[in-house]
Amino acid sequence: MSATNEAGVPHGQKRKREEKDVSNKKKVQSDKPPQIYKNLQLAESLKDAPKKPVYKNLQIAESLKAQSKAKNQLLGKSQKAEKPKFKNLQIAESQKTVANGAQDDEGPNVESQKQEYRDNRPQNPLAARQKNLLEVRQSLPIWSQAANIRNALLENHVLILAGETGSGKSTQVPQFLHTSAWCTGRIAVTQPRRVAAVSLARRVAEEMGTPLGKSPQALVGYNVRFDDNVGKNNKVKFLTEGMLLQEMLRDPALVEYSCVVVDEVHERSVNVDLLLGFLRGLVTGTSEAAKKRKGKPLKVVVMSATADTEKLKDFFSEGFGEPRAEDNIPAVNDTTSLNKDDASVEKPQVPSASSSGKISTCFVEGRMYPVQTEYLSEPTRDFSEAALLQIFQIHRKEPMPGDVLVFLTGGDVITNLQQAIEDMIPNVITRDSGLPKLLVLPLYAALSQAQQQAIFSPAPPNTRKVILATNIAETSITVPGVRFVIDSGKAKIKQFRNRLGLDSLLVKDISKSSAIQRQGRAGREAAGKCIRLYTKPNFEALEKDAVPEILRCDLSSAVLTMKARGVQDVMSFPLLTRPSREAMERALLLLLQLDALNPEDGNISDLGRKIARLPLTPAHGRTIVAAADPEMGCLLPVIDIVACFNSENIFVEIKDQDANDEAREARNKLSRRQGDHLTLLSAVQAYASERTDRKQWAKQHLISHRSMQNVMDVRKQLRAQCQQAKLITKEELAAADDDLDTVSESTGNNILKCFLRGFPANVARLVPDGSYRTIQGHMAVAIHPSSVLYSRKLEAILYNEFVYTNRTYARSVSAIQMNWLEEVYAAPT
DNA sequence: GAGCACTGC
């Protein structure tokens, strides 16, 4: 047992403590990047690489691109030939669509802002930067709409704003609004991703000429998981959707805010759908929580990249007591209703009489270069082969510079295609010796930061980059330098099947809007070209929009989210898209099984409230609560395991060639005969008890250091939250050390019993033919080959997930005893 | 003997 003396403070912890004392700017420079950067998959590079380009390279905000736009404009008139074409969103009379009669035509506070930096001392670098940025801001398409937007919210409480990438909406709208008279509280701006929230906040702070975050002068802050950088005087706060939902637990009326801007609504995450439901109740004053605002108005701005604002408008109109437009039979000549589902007709949509002046809509054109689109004349059976052909055709025919971005389905397809291209390169390039070189780069989430980073480094001279990417390049990462896009038209899509209680992850056709999004990636820096590896009729036949996540996932989390925020009748909670009754009922049933709801009235129980506060699925939350029961007494180890399930796979794939026997043996030592749960635990504990060089340790054990760092972050957060929820005392937590202890047989059993409590449906038993069948539903289940229990025959198994790929697999599996079931499910809590 | 798209509290 190694003592935790002063000198023995684990590396990471000590550093973290030091970090707390330094300012934000220093944070970025410190040898260990702050939490958020670690999650950018770019952390490693941050240490050495200059900071700016990193942020720039990420898909962040329209505004960052504005810089390059402005640069293009400065480059001179010669660029006029390639003048960005406004995409089909462009609406000549868009101003009319906002509230009637713009009063100040001049843009937002130009004079007052000018005055502001005149007043600042000239040597103030923030003010100087602000001044420079003002010119860039004024060149954004949204700038001319500033007065309209301000006036719209003066009169109405809801603004629906459609603006494509490049319009500047994410950065400018909060700045247009924060000086309005009604804006006495804060403006929240939600984002689906953490990176976006952080980088937008940074940018807006710069544009406003103030520091970011906690400083008393700071007007802009952000709050994302693992990184709270909000100051008392912040007027604008960027946060992730999940964070705002979490805030609603303690403040369901959002009283600290005067305005909530919901950005990227078209992505339709479950969280955004829930958020819109809550906001509708608040803005219309129809929900219980709305009373707590005591008459203080709330303004809601809903921003989307697609022009389809009708659905959103109908949704809010309904909240104001108007019937949804669908309920009306459209008159034959009523073009506004007829056009609703016609993607090709995107005309300005003047607020119709039915909106009764409560909802404004506004369109802002995006800024983008034209993209020429080609289709295959015949459908292809093998999109990899078709892509291979097109890549070399582009390389032969198209001028440099111009990198190629290929949208594919998954890591394996990407690896194979990369191999195929590299095999062909010698033939093609030597045969035609005038050709530039080709550099093939894979891009998908499971790659290490360093590998992902490669797409951002400039190619060597006379080299064309070919990036083979998954959907990650559609929303999360913007690849610079791309002029050619090849679109397979496919993506892997996860779908939860309620009846079977399993997730399937299958290759499916993408939606039209997804195809358009992919196409747009070719026109960000110059005119480009998009080759679709399917026919034009195929494209026309695609669904208009992707199926929203809320129709594709297990609803137990969403339902608990509603219940915990005061929604009693979840069936009538306003949702943009209503899931099936069956899916809702299944979720309610599971929550009842988990004791999260009272069986008498279906309201949330005390236990349910505890679960709802944790950043986990209800099943994992229930497991944690079970582990805190003194009879079980295994909270800390259960947290370690749950943390693993909430991070990427910690085990690095063992490839026969590169794994040496030593590492393999080291890895094997971590494995536990009881199964994957305790194997994960032993890995976390061994890692945590490593005091000298964790990175080296991870390498030696074929464990992903990055994943493990994330596990440690989640573990820390869960420990703190459990203490807050009084599931563990401060003293107990302080006494916990990371010394390597062997988990006793009985503790091991207790741990598995806790998981049993959280996963009543994920149990299967061995049947006479040697296969496993689930106890609920008698479905055939096979142990996934990645499990330490693969090919073992055990009395019964418990598993963390049930997925369908080629067959139905149980992943993360442990052995249990049938006689535990009675004990676990009979026990009162 | 499989092979996991992508986010988020």
Side-chain angles (χ1 to χ4, degrees):
Chain A
M1 229 172 77
S2 71
T4 8
N5 53 29
E6 280 300 307
V9 179
H11 238 64
Q13 290 181 16
K14 191 175 174 194
R15 267 193 228 158
K16 206 143 298 152
R17 259 180 247 138
E18 287 163 355
E19 255 169 41
K20 286 213 171 126
D21 304 327
V22 297
S23 75
N24 284 314
K25 270 201 176 149
K26 276 238 174 100
K27 250 188 184 172
V28 181
Q29 288 158 352
S30 76
D31 64 339
K32 189 185 173 207
Q35 306 289 17
I36 181 65
Y37 302 116
K38 203 151 60 184
N39 294 298
L40 299 186
Q41 302 149 337
L42 296 166
E44 292 302 317
S45 62
L46 257 180
K47 284 187 222 156
D48 323 301
K51 273 154 284 167
K52 269 275 167 52
V54 176
Y55 303 122
K56 236 193 226 159
N57 289 333
L58 288 168
Q59 145 121 42
I60 37 173
E62 290 85 337
S63 66
L64 290 199
K65 281 154 237 148
Q67 256 188 321
S68 69
K69 293 281 136 61
K71 215 164 63 191
N72 284 336
Q73 286 172 357
L74 291 174
L75 285 179
K77 315 270 182 208
S78 64
Q79 288 240 338
K80 276 247 162 118
E82 274 198 331
K83 187 184 163 205
K85 174 187 105 181
F86 294 146
K87 277 197 61 188
N88 47 11
L89 256 185
Q90 186 193 16
I91 280 106
E93 293 190 293
S94 58
Q95 297 191 346
K96 280 193 192 156
T97 65
V98 200
N100 334 314
Q103 280 127 24
D104 49 316
D105 291 325
E106 209 199 348
N109 291 337
V110 181
E111 274 317 311
S112 76
Q113 294 199 17
K114 279 179 186 163
Q115 191 57 45
E116 224 173 287
Y117 55 77
R118 263 182 235 130
D119 291 345
N120 279 316
R121 278 190 298 269
Q123 62 264 43
N124 180 347
L126 288 177
R129 178 90 177 118
Q130 179 190 20
K131 185 184 170 183
N132 291 336
L133 290 176
L134 186 58
E135 286 162 31
V136 181
R137 293 175 61 201
Q138 285 166 340
S139 73
L140 290 168
I142 200 162
W143 187 262
S144 61
Q145 298 282 328
N148 287 328
I149 290 169
R150 286 161 61 90
N151 290 328
L153 284 165
L154 217 55
E155 292 174 19
N156 298 329
H157 289 326
V158 179
L159 170 66
I160 295 158
L161 194 155
E164 291 228 320
T165 328
S167 65
K169 63 184 188 316
S170 310
T171 53
Q172 303 312 305
V173 168
Q175 296 187 74
F176 295 163
L177 300 179
H178 85 278
T179 50
S180 289
W182 51 262
C183 194
T184 51
R186 284 178 165 161
I187 297 179
V189 187
T190 70
Q191 291 294 322
R193 278 168 293 278
R194 299 202 296 241
V195 225
V198 176
S199 42
L200 282 169
R202 181 164 283 120
R203 172 70 184 197
V204 171
E206 269 192 277
E207 290 186 4
M208 287 171 62
T210 84
L212 174 69
K214 296 193 190 293
S215 133
Q217 292 87 39
L219 292 178
V220 185
Y222 64 86
N223 189 11
V224 299
R225 190 178 191 180
F226 307 126
D227 195 359
D228 179 359
N229 198 7
V230 176
K232 258 168 86 180
N233 298 324
N234 291 170
K235 279 288 275 184
V236 180
K237 177 164 150 187
F238 285 87
L239 31 53
T240 46
E241 293 152 358
M243 268 299 178
L244 192 61
L245 282 174
Q246 209 63 14
E247 286 188 8
M248 294 185 79
L249 274 179
R250 51 176 169 74
D251 177 15
L254 297 172
V255 288
E256 99 178 50
Y257 303 101
S258 292
C259 177
V260 178
V261 180
V262 190
D263 201 2
E264 311 280 18
V265 169
H266 59 278
E267 291 192 24
R268 294 298 303 278
S269 64
V270 178
N271 282 347
V272 99
D273 281 11
L274 291 173
L275 212 48
L276 290 175
F278 288 116
L279 290 172
R280 191 180 100 170
L282 289 177
V283 80
T284 57
T286 49
S287 69
E288 201 52 38
K291 291 173 191 153
K292 293 187 179 154
R293 291 190 67 86
K294 294 178 182 141
K296 201 178 141 199
L298 180 74
K299 308 282 183 178
V300 173
V301 182
V302 180
M303 308 204 292
S304 166
T306 61
D308 186 16
T309 59
E310 280 299 290
K311 196 179 170 70
L312 289 162
K313 205 170 93 184
D314 288 346
F315 177 72
F316 279 96
S317 299
E318 192 188 48
F320 282 113
E322 320 265 341
R324 287 205 188 197
E326 286 103 304
D327 302 338
N328 299 325
I329 300 157
V332 181
N333 290 329
D334 184 348
T335 46
T336 51
S337 338
L338 286 179
N339 290 342
K340 212 163 50 190
D341 289 315
D342 187 345
S344 63
V345 183
E346 282 160 356
K347 294 251 170 68
Q349 297 178 24
V350 179
S352 63
S354 74
S355 74
S356 65
K358 290 188 171 120
I359 303 162
S360 308
T361 49
C362 177
F363 293 82
V364 184
E365 70 275 11
R367 211 176 255 176
M368 158 154 321
Y369 296 90
V371 177
Q372 180 197 338
T373 303
E374 291 177 8
Y375 296 88
L376 298 190
S377 51
E378 294 288 323
T380 172
R381 270 178 41 243
D382 183 345
F383 61 75
S384 288
E385 201 182 283
L388 186 69
L389 212 72
Q390 295 296 334
I391 290 165
F392 281 104
Q393 213 155 63
I394 288 173
H395 190 49
R396 264 196 293 262
K397 286 202 284 195
E398 301 289 349
M400 295 283 282
D403 295 339
V404 185
L405 173 62
V406 191
F407 283 100
L408 298 159
T409 53
D412 51 345
V413 171
I414 288 173
T415 313
N416 291 338
L417 183 56
Q418 177 173 15
Q419 194 57 57
I421 299 169
E422 280 165 358
D423 290 346
M424 263 182 81
I425 284 174
N427 299 329
V428 176
I429 296 192
T430 45
R431 200 173 52 216
D432 186 348
S433 55
L435 278 183
K437 290 182 195 134
L438 267 183
L439 175 63
V440 187
L441 299 166
L443 177 66
Y444 49 97
L447 289 177
S448 71
Q449 315 79 323
Q451 286 167 296
Q452 290 190 19
Q453 191 58 27
I455 63 160
F456 297 121
S457 3
N462 195 33
T463 303
R464 192 194 299 274
K465 282 197 274 190
V466 178
I467 294 111
L468 308 180
T470 62
N471 251 357
I472 196 171
E474 202 180 295
T475 48
S476 302
I477 295 177
T478 294
V479 185
V482 172
R483 297 206 183 165
F484 306 98
V485 162
I486 298 174
D487 173 19
S488 65
K490 306 278 180 188
K492 276 190 185 169
I493 293 167
K494 200 171 188 170
Q495 169 95 42
F496 182 71
R497 303 196 186 177
N498 288 292
R499 207 159 299 168
L500 306 174
L502 67 77
D503 265 323
S504 58
L505 187 68
L506 300 172
V507 174
K508 297 220 167 135
D509 285 341
I510 60 171
S511 66
K512 255 185 209 158
S513 49
S514 204
I516 292 165
Q517 181 74 23
R518 289 178 174 190
Q519 169 199 43
R521 298 279 144 168
R524 300 178 80 99
E525 296 177 15
K529 193 170 180 178
C530 171
I531 295 163
R532 294 188 169 139
L533 302 178
Y534 39 98
T535 65
K536 185 137 198 232
N538 285 156
F539 170 76
E540 297 298 346
L542 294 176
E543 288 293 327
K544 184 169 173 291
D545 291 303
V547 180
E549 191 189 3
I550 201 156
L551 300 185
R552 296 187 288 110
C553 73
D554 170 21
L555 292 177
S556 55
S557 257
V559 169
L560 189 64
T561 299
M562 297 179 208
K563 290 275 185 186
R565 286 154 189 78
V567 179
Q568 282 174 5
D569 178 12
V570 295
M571 292 293 184
S572 62
F573 182 79
L575 287 171
L576 215 44
T577 309
R578 211 171 285 280
S580 69
R581 183 166 200 94
E582 187 193 4
M584 295 287 269
E585 278 168 359
R586 189 190 184 280
L588 286 165
L589 207 67
L590 178 65
L591 293 173
L592 277 168
Q593 282 190 331
L594 298 179
D595 309 318
L597 304 179
N598 294 322
E600 317 85 62
D601 53 10
N603 285 343
I604 191 162
S605 64
D606 290 342
L607 205 150
R609 270 180 228 287
K610 283 185 182 160
I611 296 175
R613 297 198 87 93
L614 295 167
L616 300 171
T617 61
H620 281 136
R622 185 64 184 88
T623 307
I624 296 265
V625 175
D629 188 305
E631 277 197 30
M632 288 296 168
C634 52
L635 180 59
L636 292 177
V638 163
I639 285 177
D640 289 354
I641 299 166
V642 168
C644 290
F645 289 142
N646 281 275
S647 305
E648 284 158 44
N649 193 359
I650 60 168
F651 295 113
V652 175
E653 203 182 338
I654 300 182
K655 285 190 193 125
D656 295 27
Q657 318 88 288
D658 58 9
N660 59 51
D661 293 344
E662 221 172 295
R664 215 180 276 226
E665 201 180 307
R667 164 85 84 81
N668 284 340
K669 274 191 189 148
L670 298 172
S671 144
R672 293 290 173 268
R673 62 180 170 76
Q674 296 98 319
D676 297 318
H677 294 74
L678 297 181
T679 298
L680 289 169
L681 177 63
S682 82
V684 175
Q685 292 191 334
Y687 179 88
S689 68
E690 170 63 36
R691 300 285 204 274
T692 47
D693 189 344
R694 287 181 173 175
K695 198 170 180 178
Q696 181 60 23
W697 181 92
K699 204 174 167 188
Q700 282 165 354
H701 290 76
L702 292 171
I703 281 187
S704 158
H705 186 237
R706 173 172 67 136
S707 300
M708 215 33 133
Q709 282 177 313
N710 189 42
V711 168
M712 299 306 275
D713 288 339
V714 176
R715 172 169 107 145
K716 190 175 151 196
Q717 186 189 26
L718 290 178
R719 285 179 169 197
Q721 286 178 333
C722 284
Q723 191 205 311
Q724 246 178 343
K726 302 199 164 54
L727 294 172
I728 190 168
T729 64
K730 205 174 178 178
E731 293 71 33
E732 285 171 302
L733 207 50
D737 53 42
D738 283 327
D739 295 324
L740 197 49
D741 276 331
T742 45
V743 176
S744 73
E745 180 86 21
S746 68
T747 305
N749 290 351
N750 280 353
I751 290 170
L752 295 178
K753 286 174 191 172
C754 292
F755 277 95
L756 221 39
R757 194 65 197 79
F759 293 84
N762 290 15
V763 184
R765 64 186 304 179
L766 194 66
V767 293
D769 69 3
S771 69
Y772 290 95
R773 295 225 163 225
T774 58
I775 290 187
Q776 291 183 15
H778 286 271
M779 285 178 293
V781 180
I783 298 177
H784 196 274
S786 64
S787 171
V788 297
L789 296 184
Y790 177 69
S791 79
R792 298 273 309 278
K793 303 283 183 219
L794 303 146
E795 181 188 8
I797 53 170
L798 156 77
Y799 45 88
N800 188 56
E801 18 169 29
F802 188 26
V803 289
Y804 177 81
T805 47
N806 289 321
R807 12 180 342 197
T808 52
Y809 284 107
R811 294 186 54 231
S812 301
V813 185
S814 284
I816 56 154
Q817 294 164 24
M818 285 301 287
N819 62 20
W820 290 354
L821 299 183
E822 213 180 321
E823 179 193 333
V824 170
Y825 300 121
T829 28

